[in-house]
Amino acid sequence: MTSNEHVLPDDLVPAEALASTSPIAISSLARLKPGKSDDEMQKAFTAMMSAAREEEGCEQYAIHATLGQPGVYAFYERWSSGADLLRHMQNPSLRTYHGQFFKNLDVEIEWLRPLDA
């Protein structure tokens, strides 16, 4: 994958989330597409969790396998601000992961903000 290749959907992150100066969270459910490797994705998830947790502004980054539904994963991320989330999304060392994520999974994403923010 070249460094110029675009891997994230243009409309992925709402402007309200990017502009947030308070914490922003993401909850998503991802289903492995037919014919894609579950083992390959789990290896990518493990690497991604380690990298994301070290990023500035990452308050929580967790991925869970669902019980009784092989190939279905639940994600939860919490970032200190929209700027921290944007840095995460633009991190060049995560391009391969983002490419695998959107190529191999059908994803439903919910953008969240704390009620006290």
Side-chain angles (χ1 to χ4, degrees):
M1 183 173 295
T2 65
S3 62
N4 294 329
E5 189 172 342
H6 185 76
V7 294
L8 298 172
D10 288 331
D11 60 349
L12 180 65
V13 185
E16 179 182 359
L18 292 176
S20 179
T21 57
S22 60
I24 193 79
I26 305 148
S27 173
S28 58
L29 193 63
R31 290 177 175 80
L32 197 62
K33 292 180 180 177
K36 301 300 180 180
S37 170
D38 194 40
D39 289 340
E40 181 180 316
M41 286 310 304
Q42 287 190 28
K43 288 177 187 174
F45 293 156
T46 300
M48 181 59 197
M49 280 189 289
S50 294
R53 289 174 178 163
E54 293 179 13
E55 290 183 79
E56 181 181 343
C58 180
E59 296 180 6
Q60 186 174 3
Y61 196 102
I63 305 172
H64 302 272
T66 59
L67 297 175
Q69 296 184 68
V72 180
Y73 300 93
F75 293 73
Y76 182 80
E77 303 175 38
R78 182 176 160 114
W79 299 90
S80 296
S81 70
D84 293 318
L85 171 63
L86 181 60
R87 268 193 305 280
H88 166 68
M89 301 301 275
Q90 293 177 337
N91 183 338
S93 67
L94 301 178
R95 293 181 75 74
T96 299
Y97 167 77
H98 288 144
Q100 287 179 316
F101 188 85
F102 290 103
K103 177 181 166 189
N104 295 312
L105 300 165
D106 288 318
V107 184
E108 299 170 27
I109 300 174
E110 293 293 331
W111 299 93
L112 311 165
R113 62 173 175 76
L115 289 178
D116 61 347

